[in-house]
Amino acid sequence: MPSYKFTYFPFRGLGEPVRLLFHLADCPFKDERFSFEEWGAVKSKSPMGQLPILGVDGLEIPQSAAILRYLALKFGFAGKTPEDRAWVDAVVDRFKDFFVEFKKFLVAKRGGKSEEEVAKVVSESVVPAMESYFKLLNGLLERSKSGFLIGNSITYADLVVVNNLETLRNFGFLNASEQPKLTALLEKVYSQPGIKEYVSSRTASDF
Amino acid sequence: MPSYKFTYFPFRGLGEPVRLLFHLADCPFKDERFSFEEWGAVKSKSPMGQLPILGVDGLEIPQSAAILRYLALKFGFAGKTPEDRAWVDAVVDRFKDFFVEFKKFLVAKRGGKSEEEVAKVVSESVVPAMESYFKLLNGLLERSKSGFLIGNSITYADLVVVNNLETLRNFGFLNASEQPKLTALLEKVYSQPGIKEYVSSRTASDF
């Protein structure tokens, strides 16, 4: 087996789905977590000047979705057919479209903007983006026989979506009574062997 | 061979790399182009409420990068090894990060903002994003033995990057003397059999 090292910041963010995937696949990896200071010192030597980075026997692969797809294909969590794999990719890309809008909220919140300014970002960017994104996810889950987003088993699309749903829940954008299907997906993914133990022992982070 | 239909707007945008890929692979497809009015009439029935969409014997696949990856894997333009394929994915994802910033310019320009406001978007968003993006692309091309971005042959990452480089050139952000390697990549991709004939006969579009 190759020697894997996964480098990201010490919070969930865009890197956590990779950690979840390693735990789901029961595959050992070095879970390296950099503070912003530590990252600043090595950033210029990294492939794209960005985290996360996956190390595979010394080769470095950047970009969270590329890392996830690479590992999920190896571990068997990328979808069972070429068409399922394309839809898994499409859901992850669609999440990224949503995240472009949601990130404006995180930036406003963490940038110390006034409550009024944050509320403006929520109503103008987050709420409309969330409406169409949730509609898609609910549609997929309505047609799903497995309870997962695509096909008959868990894929890395479920990990990406659920990790963000937890963030949305932490900030009050998701509650079980309004979104029972999405909440059920979150609980289903978090109860998978490997993921369950990891989630119950990890350090909590808002995002 | 499956029956392919590719639906997008009547300009290059995020859909053109898929058209380039079909022509590169010499694979017949229905090149369906919707006006905004035509799209508005069918949008609510589409998988994600977004174009492009690929139809494969009636199955619909959304999201430009998911479509490209799906077809490139079939046609042999996705990279030769799992590691090359991951890097191809990573470059396309990195392009999307850049495009989030560049799109602000297109939105400002088309939204009829003042020259001053457009200039502000350019200096605050486009220029810094372009600097780090071009640095990455130039680094890949410096290490490349084939003249393509990843590995020893053309991949869909080249198509995505080149289609956007043309847009950057059209708006004055790319010139040959400052960016000889990127300009050479553009010319190399546009001289590929299949692509060459298509590019010389297609209707020009700024973006």
Side-chain angles (χ1 to χ4, degrees):
Chain A
M1 195 189 292
S3 162
Y4 292 114
K5 182 171 79 171
F6 180 67
T7 309
Y8 191 60
F9 299 108
F11 46 78
R12 288 185 298 105
L14 294 173
E16 189 73 358
V18 179
R19 295 182 190 128
L20 294 172
L21 181 59
F22 274 118
H23 288 283
L24 177 66
D26 196 20
C27 176
F29 72 110
K30 184 174 174 190
D31 188 345
E32 186 172 62
R33 298 175 185 227
F34 277 172
S35 67
F36 287 117
E37 291 70 31
E38 289 167 318
W39 169 235
V42 296
K43 184 176 173 176
S44 65
K45 288 177 200 149
S46 71
M48 291 194 180
Q50 294 172 324
L51 290 181
I53 295 168
L54 176 70
V56 187
D57 288 337
L59 172 77
E60 293 189 309
I61 298 172
Q63 286 285 346
S64 57
I67 293 168
L68 275 168
R69 189 175 303 110
Y70 172 80
L71 291 173
L73 283 164
K74 296 206 168 217
F75 299 159
F77 297 103
K80 302 294 186 206
T81 65
E83 288 69 32
D84 275 2
R85 287 193 283 277
W87 260 93
V88 168
D89 285 348
V91 168
V92 171
D93 283 342
R94 184 65 184 76
F95 155 75
K96 285 187 82 172
D97 288 349
F98 167 69
F99 192 72
V100 168
E101 299 304 312
F102 180 63
K103 200 178 168 185
K104 295 175 186 171
F105 166 78
L106 293 178
V107 168
K109 191 98 179 162
R110 291 168 55 82
K113 299 280 180 187
S114 69
E115 271 186 44
E116 203 174 10
E117 285 171 297
V118 173
K120 191 164 177 281
V121 170
V122 168
S123 64
E124 288 182 4
S125 298
V126 180
V127 169
M130 202 164 59
E131 257 178 37
S132 61
Y133 176 60
F134 278 8
K135 190 180 161 201
L136 167 75
L137 297 179
N138 276 308
L140 291 172
L141 291 170
E142 269 159 33
R143 293 190 295 280
S144 166
K145 292 186 177 102
S146 65
F148 295 112
L149 289 166
I150 308 293
N152 56 14
S153 57
I154 190 168
T155 67
Y156 71 91
D158 296 297
L159 305 181
V160 167
V161 165
V162 156
N163 181 55
N164 176 252
L165 287 179
E166 181 179 335
T167 304
L168 293 173
R169 185 165 68 177
N170 291 341
F171 286 105
F173 293 111
L174 176 77
N175 66 66
S177 60
E178 282 174 22
Q179 294 293 342
K181 283 191 179 62
L182 302 188
T183 307
L185 178 69
L186 201 158
E187 281 160 16
K188 191 174 170 78
V189 168
Y190 278 181
S191 67
Q192 299 297 302
I195 291 184
K196 187 176 179 178
E197 298 75 15
Y198 168 65
V199 166
S200 70
S201 67
R202 69 182 173 186
T203 309
S205 77
D206 279 351
F207 61 92
Chain B
M1 196 189 291
S3 163
Y4 293 114
K5 182 171 78 171
F6 180 67
T7 309
Y8 192 60
F9 299 108
F11 47 78
R12 288 185 296 108
L14 293 173
E16 189 73 359
V18 179
R19 297 182 189 128
L20 293 172
L21 181 58
F22 274 118
H23 289 284
L24 178 66
D26 195 21
C27 176
F29 72 109
K30 184 174 173 190
D31 188 345
E32 186 172 64
R33 298 176 184 226
F34 277 173
S35 67
F36 287 119
E37 292 69 30
E38 289 168 318
W39 169 237
V42 297
K43 184 177 171 175
S44 66
K45 288 178 198 146
S46 70
M48 292 193 179
Q50 295 172 323
L51 289 181
I53 296 170
L54 176 71
V56 187
D57 289 339
L59 171 76
E60 293 189 309
I61 298 173
Q63 287 285 346
S64 56
I67 293 169
L68 275 169
R69 190 176 300 109
Y70 172 79
L71 292 173
L73 283 165
K74 296 205 168 217
F75 299 158
F77 297 102
K80 302 295 185 205
T81 66
E83 289 69 30
D84 275 2
R85 287 194 282 278
W87 261 94
V88 168
D89 286 350
V91 168
V92 171
D93 284 342
R94 184 62 185 76
F95 156 74
K96 286 188 81 171
D97 289 348
F98 167 69
F99 192 72
V100 167
E101 299 306 310
F102 179 64
K103 200 177 167 185
K104 294 175 186 170
F105 165 78
L106 293 177
V107 167
K109 190 100 181 159
R110 290 168 55 83
K113 299 280 179 187
S114 69
E115 271 187 44
E116 203 175 9
E117 285 171 296
V118 173
K120 191 165 178 280
V121 170
V122 169
S123 63
E124 287 182 4
S125 298
V126 180
V127 169
M130 202 163 58
E131 256 178 37
S132 62
Y133 176 59
F134 278 8
K135 191 181 159 199
L136 167 75
L137 297 180
N138 276 309
L140 291 172
L141 292 172
E142 269 159 34
R143 292 191 294 280
S144 167
K145 290 186 180 102
S146 64
F148 295 112
L149 288 165
I150 307 293
N152 56 13
S153 57
I154 189 168
T155 68
Y156 70 93
D158 295 298
L159 304 181
V160 167
V161 166
V162 156
N163 182 55
N164 177 251
L165 287 179
E166 180 178 336
T167 304
L168 294 174
R169 186 167 65 176
N170 291 342
F171 286 105
F173 293 112
L174 177 76
N175 67 65
S177 59
E178 281 175 20
Q179 294 294 341
K181 284 192 178 61
L182 302 188
T183 307
L185 177 69
L186 201 158
E187 282 160 16
K188 190 175 170 78
V189 169
Y190 277 0
S191 67
Q192 298 298 301
I195 291 183
K196 188 177 178 176
E197 298 75 15
Y198 168 65
V199 166
S200 69
S201 67
R202 69 182 174 187
T203 310
S205 77
D206 279 351
F207 60 92

